[in-house]
Amino acid sequence: MKKIISLIALILLISLIATTFVACGGDVDESGFMTLVVKNGDDIKAYKVDLSKISDESNTGVMAVLEYLKNNDNLTYTSQESAYGAYLTQVNSLKEENGNYIYLYTDVEKDFDVSEYATTVDYDGKTLTNSGVGVSQMSVKEGCTILITTISFGN
């Protein structure tokens, strides 16, 4: 009986360790297209991204898309590392300053904010919900739309 309990405990430990490494970042589909939108008031820049060209070796989730666009399509961004992954401080003309913060919306349901504070926006016939996970954990799926904008707190 003691051996069986030890074996079960070992299997649970191995499973926990394996899922810890898998759950670290958002996944990026290997093919298809997605749309990344940067919206600063009436200034809207939409990027159609071929996911087969995304290298997700050192970046995860939406960060891989941002890095690809930085290297191939004149998108600019700055970020800093936090306990929760990357934290965006600037994307193109969007800047974190004066109570404004970078805010992300998605149509990938598993990344939706499910709290009472969740908000939605409409873009190109789709309803997007603010992300409940960080930019590094956001999933990039074929056909998805990710919208980056700002939100104001404390003003």
Side-chain angles (χ1 to χ4, degrees):
M1 182 70 168
K2 201 174 192 180
K3 287 183 180 183
I4 292 174
I5 293 173
S6 295
L7 180 60
I8 291 172
L10 180 61
I11 291 171
L12 289 173
L13 179 63
I14 290 170
S15 297
L16 178 64
I17 291 169
T19 57
T20 299
F21 291 116
V22 172
C24 287
D27 57 322
V28 177
D29 279 358
E30 294 180 6
S31 65
F33 289 85
M34 65 84 61
T35 303
L36 185 121
V37 180
V38 180
K39 183 179 185 293
N40 189 358
D42 291 333
D43 181 26
I44 299 171
K45 174 70 176 166
Y47 301 88
K48 188 168 185 164
V49 180
D50 181 350
L51 297 177
S52 68
K53 296 183 178 183
I54 302 297
S55 171
D56 199 20
E57 294 172 10
S58 61
N59 295 295
T60 56
V62 174
M63 290 304 295
V65 174
L66 292 172
E67 189 63 22
Y68 170 80
L69 291 171
K70 180 180 181 179
N71 293 329
N72 296 284
D73 206 353
N74 296 323
L75 178 132
T76 59
Y77 78 89
T78 57
S79 66
Q80 58 190 35
E81 284 301 311
S82 73
Y84 304 103
Y87 179 77
L88 292 172
T89 55
Q90 181 176 353
V91 179
N92 286 350
S93 62
L94 297 173
K95 291 182 183 178
E96 181 180 289
E97 61 186 358
N98 302 323
N100 291 322
Y101 299 91
I102 305 290
Y103 213 59
L104 291 97
Y105 289 87
T106 182
D107 62 353
V108 178
E109 189 172 348
K110 77 177 197 169
D111 293 342
F112 286 179
D113 179 352
V114 294
S115 75
E116 62 186 274
Y117 304 105
T119 59
T120 61
V121 296
D122 291 322
Y123 176 78
D124 199 28
K126 290 184 172 186
T127 299
L128 311 175
T129 301
N130 68 291
S131 178
V133 298
V135 66
S136 299
Q137 289 79 34
M138 290 178 71
S139 300
V140 180
K141 299 293 182 187
E142 177 181 1
C144 80
T145 300
I146 308 286
L147 185 138
I148 304 173
T149 190
T150 56
I151 190 169
S152 295
F153 291 113
N155 286 343

mmCIF file of all heavy atoms in Angstrom, residues 65-88:
data_model
loop_
_atom_site.group_PDB
_atom_site.id
_atom_site.type_symbol
_atom_site.label_atom_id
_atom_site.label_comp_id
_atom_site.label_asym_id
_atom_site.label_seq_id
_atom_site.Cartn_x
_atom_site.Cartn_y
_atom_site.Cartn_z
ATOM 1 N N VAL A 65 4.316 38.081 -31.589
ATOM 2 C CA VAL A 65 3.762 38.843 -32.711
ATOM 3 C C VAL A 65 4.340 40.252 -32.722
ATOM 4 O O VAL A 65 4.730 40.773 -33.770
ATOM 5 C CB VAL A 65 2.219 38.870 -32.634
ATOM 6 C CG1 VAL A 65 1.639 39.786 -33.701
ATOM 7 C CG2 VAL A 65 1.654 37.460 -32.756
ATOM 8 N N LEU A 66 4.407 40.887 -31.564
ATOM 9 C CA LEU A 66 4.975 42.233 -31.480
ATOM 10 C C LEU A 66 6.429 42.246 -31.944
ATOM 11 O O LEU A 66 6.848 43.156 -32.676
ATOM 12 C CB LEU A 66 4.868 42.774 -30.053
ATOM 13 C CG LEU A 66 3.459 43.074 -29.552
ATOM 14 C CD1 LEU A 66 3.495 43.422 -28.068
ATOM 15 C CD2 LEU A 66 2.820 44.184 -30.359
ATOM 16 N N GLU A 67 7.192 41.256 -31.539
ATOM 17 C CA GLU A 67 8.598 41.191 -31.951
ATOM 18 C C GLU A 67 8.715 41.004 -33.464
ATOM 19 O O GLU A 67 9.551 41.638 -34.122
ATOM 20 C CB GLU A 67 9.319 40.069 -31.201
ATOM 21 C CG GLU A 67 10.816 40.060 -31.390
ATOM 22 C CD GLU A 67 11.523 41.299 -30.854
ATOM 23 O OE1 GLU A 67 10.987 42.019 -29.977
ATOM 24 O OE2 GLU A 67 12.658 41.556 -31.319
ATOM 25 N N TYR A 68 7.868 40.149 -34.033
ATOM 26 C CA TYR A 68 7.871 39.959 -35.481
ATOM 27 C C TYR A 68 7.555 41.280 -36.192
ATOM 28 O O TYR A 68 8.235 41.668 -37.144
ATOM 29 C CB TYR A 68 6.858 38.879 -35.883
ATOM 30 C CG TYR A 68 6.653 38.806 -37.374
ATOM 31 C CD1 TYR A 68 7.570 38.141 -38.178
ATOM 32 C CD2 TYR A 68 5.567 39.428 -37.984
ATOM 33 C CE1 TYR A 68 7.414 38.101 -39.561
ATOM 34 C CE2 TYR A 68 5.404 39.396 -39.355
ATOM 35 C CZ TYR A 68 6.323 38.724 -40.142
ATOM 36 O OH TYR A 68 6.164 38.696 -41.507
ATOM 37 N N LEU A 69 6.515 41.984 -35.731
ATOM 38 C CA LEU A 69 6.135 43.248 -36.367
ATOM 39 C C LEU A 69 7.198 44.328 -36.168
ATOM 40 O O LEU A 69 7.403 45.165 -37.043
ATOM 41 C CB LEU A 69 4.771 43.718 -35.843
ATOM 42 C CG LEU A 69 3.586 42.864 -36.289
ATOM 43 C CD1 LEU A 69 2.320 43.275 -35.546
ATOM 44 C CD2 LEU A 69 3.393 42.948 -37.799
ATOM 45 N N LYS A 70 7.878 44.296 -35.047
ATOM 46 C CA LYS A 70 8.971 45.241 -34.808
ATOM 47 C C LYS A 70 10.089 45.029 -35.829
ATOM 48 O O LYS A 70 10.660 45.991 -36.344
ATOM 49 C CB LYS A 70 9.507 45.058 -33.385
ATOM 50 C CG LYS A 70 10.641 45.987 -33.018
ATOM 51 C CD LYS A 70 11.092 45.726 -31.591
ATOM 52 C CE LYS A 70 12.210 46.646 -31.182
ATOM 53 N NZ LYS A 70 12.619 46.411 -29.782
ATOM 54 N N ASN A 71 10.374 43.782 -36.134
ATOM 55 C CA ASN A 71 11.460 43.456 -37.056
ATOM 56 C C ASN A 71 11.060 43.539 -38.526
ATOM 57 O O ASN A 71 11.931 43.635 -39.392
ATOM 58 C CB ASN A 71 11.996 42.058 -36.766
ATOM 59 C CG ASN A 71 12.687 41.985 -35.431
ATOM 60 O OD1 ASN A 71 13.278 42.956 -34.962
ATOM 61 N ND2 ASN A 71 12.599 40.833 -34.782
ATOM 62 N N ASN A 72 9.753 43.478 -38.819
ATOM 63 C CA ASN A 72 9.333 43.368 -40.213
ATOM 64 C C ASN A 72 8.313 44.394 -40.692
ATOM 65 O O ASN A 72 8.047 44.455 -41.891
ATOM 66 C CB ASN A 72 8.744 41.968 -40.454
ATOM 67 C CG ASN A 72 9.776 40.885 -40.273
ATOM 68 O OD1 ASN A 72 10.623 40.679 -41.119
ATOM 69 N ND2 ASN A 72 9.721 40.200 -39.131
ATOM 70 N N ASP A 73 7.716 45.183 -39.799
ATOM 71 C CA ASP A 73 6.637 46.061 -40.254
ATOM 72 C C ASP A 73 6.575 47.387 -39.501
ATOM 73 O O ASP A 73 5.504 47.963 -39.343
ATOM 74 C CB ASP A 73 5.293 45.336 -40.141
ATOM 75 C CG ASP A 73 4.262 45.850 -41.123
ATOM 76 O OD1 ASP A 73 4.527 46.858 -41.819
ATOM 77 O OD2 ASP A 73 3.171 45.264 -41.204
ATOM 78 N N ASN A 74 7.694 47.871 -39.016
ATOM 79 C CA ASN A 74 7.806 49.201 -38.399
ATOM 80 C C ASN A 74 6.959 49.433 -37.153
ATOM 81 O O ASN A 74 6.726 50.574 -36.794
ATOM 82 C CB ASN A 74 7.508 50.299 -39.431
ATOM 83 C CG ASN A 74 8.525 50.302 -40.544
ATOM 84 O OD1 ASN A 74 9.705 50.067 -40.318
ATOM 85 N ND2 ASN A 74 8.066 50.545 -41.755
ATOM 86 N N LEU A 75 6.488 48.405 -36.507
ATOM 87 C CA LEU A 75 5.837 48.587 -35.210
ATOM 88 C C LEU A 75 6.926 48.830 -34.174
ATOM 89 O O LEU A 75 8.012 48.243 -34.262
ATOM 90 C CB LEU A 75 5.032 47.344 -34.831
ATOM 91 C CG LEU A 75 4.345 47.399 -33.472
ATOM 92 C CD1 LEU A 75 2.898 46.950 -33.611
ATOM 93 C CD2 LEU A 75 5.057 46.545 -32.453
ATOM 94 N N THR A 76 6.667 49.702 -33.237
ATOM 95 C CA THR A 76 7.619 49.918 -32.150
ATOM 96 C C THR A 76 6.931 49.602 -30.831
ATOM 97 O O THR A 76 5.725 49.808 -30.677
ATOM 98 C CB THR A 76 8.128 51.369 -32.111
ATOM 99 O OG1 THR A 76 7.025 52.259 -31.939
ATOM 100 C CG2 THR A 76 8.876 51.729 -33.388
ATOM 101 N N TYR A 77 7.699 49.065 -29.919
ATOM 102 C CA TYR A 77 7.169 48.819 -28.578
ATOM 103 C C TYR A 77 8.306 48.798 -27.576
ATOM 104 O O TYR A 77 9.462 48.554 -27.931
ATOM 105 C CB TYR A 77 6.362 47.515 -28.505
ATOM 106 C CG TYR A 77 7.191 46.254 -28.425
ATOM 107 C CD1 TYR A 77 7.599 45.736 -27.198
ATOM 108 C CD2 TYR A 77 7.565 45.575 -29.581
ATOM 109 C CE1 TYR A 77 8.359 44.583 -27.123
ATOM 110 C CE2 TYR A 77 8.329 44.421 -29.512
ATOM 111 C CZ TYR A 77 8.714 43.929 -28.281
ATOM 112 O OH TYR A 77 9.477 42.786 -28.209
ATOM 113 N N THR A 78 7.966 49.072 -26.339
ATOM 114 C CA THR A 78 8.886 48.870 -25.230
ATOM 115 C C THR A 78 8.130 48.102 -24.159
ATOM 116 O O THR A 78 6.904 48.235 -24.012
ATOM 117 C CB THR A 78 9.418 50.196 -24.642
ATOM 118 O OG1 THR A 78 8.326 51.006 -24.238
ATOM 119 C CG2 THR A 78 10.265 50.944 -25.655
ATOM 120 N N SER A 79 8.875 47.307 -23.437
ATOM 121 C CA SER A 79 8.273 46.518 -22.363
ATOM 122 C C SER A 79 9.303 46.325 -21.268
ATOM 123 O O SER A 79 10.495 46.558 -21.466
ATOM 124 C CB SER A 79 7.794 45.161 -22.881
ATOM 125 O OG SER A 79 8.891 44.368 -23.283
ATOM 126 N N GLN A 80 8.819 45.915 -20.146
ATOM 127 C CA GLN A 80 9.704 45.545 -19.043
ATOM 128 C C GLN A 80 9.206 44.234 -18.475
ATOM 129 O O GLN A 80 8.034 43.891 -18.613
ATOM 130 C CB GLN A 80 9.735 46.643 -17.983
ATOM 131 C CG GLN A 80 8.383 46.979 -17.390
ATOM 132 C CD GLN A 80 8.445 48.238 -16.533
ATOM 133 O OE1 GLN A 80 9.180 49.158 -16.836
ATOM 134 N NE2 GLN A 80 7.657 48.271 -15.472
ATOM 135 N N GLU A 81 10.102 43.506 -17.879
ATOM 136 C CA GLU A 81 9.733 42.223 -17.292
ATOM 137 C C GLU A 81 9.127 42.445 -15.912
ATOM 138 O O GLU A 81 9.546 43.315 -15.164
ATOM 139 C CB GLU A 81 10.941 41.297 -17.188
ATOM 140 C CG GLU A 81 11.342 40.681 -18.507
ATOM 141 C CD GLU A 81 10.240 39.864 -19.157
ATOM 142 O OE1 GLU A 81 9.613 39.013 -18.483
ATOM 143 O OE2 GLU A 81 9.983 40.087 -20.358
ATOM 144 N N SER A 82 8.123 41.637 -15.604
ATOM 145 C CA SER A 82 7.501 41.673 -14.289
ATOM 146 C C SER A 82 7.343 40.235 -13.808
ATOM 147 O O SER A 82 7.683 39.292 -14.527
ATOM 148 C CB SER A 82 6.133 42.362 -14.356
ATOM 149 O OG SER A 82 5.185 41.515 -14.979
ATOM 150 N N ALA A 83 6.808 40.075 -12.632
ATOM 151 C CA ALA A 83 6.579 38.735 -12.091
ATOM 152 C C ALA A 83 5.572 37.968 -12.944
ATOM 153 O O ALA A 83 5.491 36.744 -12.872
ATOM 154 C CB ALA A 83 6.089 38.836 -10.658
ATOM 155 N N TYR A 84 4.795 38.669 -13.763
ATOM 156 C CA TYR A 84 3.760 38.047 -14.577
ATOM 157 C C TYR A 84 4.134 37.981 -16.051
ATOM 158 O O TYR A 84 3.294 37.758 -16.902
ATOM 159 C CB TYR A 84 2.442 38.812 -14.415
ATOM 160 C CG TYR A 84 2.015 38.909 -12.974
ATOM 161 C CD1 TYR A 84 2.179 40.095 -12.265
ATOM 162 C CD2 TYR A 84 1.492 37.815 -12.312
ATOM 163 C CE1 TYR A 84 1.809 40.175 -10.935
ATOM 164 C CE2 TYR A 84 1.118 37.889 -10.986
ATOM 165 C CZ TYR A 84 1.278 39.079 -10.300
ATOM 166 O OH TYR A 84 0.917 39.151 -8.989
ATOM 167 N N GLY A 85 5.385 38.227 -16.388
ATOM 168 C CA GLY A 85 5.818 38.241 -17.777
ATOM 169 C C GLY A 85 6.054 39.660 -18.240
ATOM 170 O O GLY A 85 6.257 40.573 -17.441
ATOM 171 N N ALA A 86 5.994 39.856 -19.544
ATOM 172 C CA ALA A 86 6.248 41.183 -20.118
ATOM 173 C C ALA A 86 5.126 42.151 -19.749
ATOM 174 O O ALA A 86 3.963 41.770 -19.628
ATOM 175 C CB ALA A 86 6.374 41.082 -21.629
ATOM 176 N N TYR A 87 5.513 43.410 -19.584
ATOM 177 C CA TYR A 87 4.578 44.493 -19.279
ATOM 178 C C TYR A 87 4.838 45.594 -20.290
ATOM 179 O O TYR A 87 5.920 46.174 -20.322
ATOM 180 C CB TYR A 87 4.818 44.981 -17.847
ATOM 181 C CG TYR A 87 3.933 46.126 -17.427
ATOM 182 C CD1 TYR A 87 2.611 45.905 -17.080
ATOM 183 C CD2 TYR A 87 4.423 47.424 -17.383
ATOM 184 C CE1 TYR A 87 1.798 46.962 -16.694
ATOM 185 C CE2 TYR A 87 3.625 48.484 -16.994
ATOM 186 C CZ TYR A 87 2.307 48.242 -16.653
ATOM 187 O OH TYR A 87 1.491 49.282 -16.275
ATOM 188 N N LEU A 88 3.849 45.859 -21.150
ATOM 189 C CA LEU A 88 4.022 46.859 -22.209
ATOM 190 C C LEU A 88 3.948 48.266 -21.640
ATOM 191 O O LEU A 88 3.031 48.589 -20.880
ATOM 192 C CB LEU A 88 2.941 46.693 -23.274
ATOM 193 C CG LEU A 88 3.021 45.418 -24.106
ATOM 194 C CD1 LEU A 88 1.788 45.289 -24.997
ATOM 195 C CD2 LEU A 88 4.287 45.395 -24.941
#
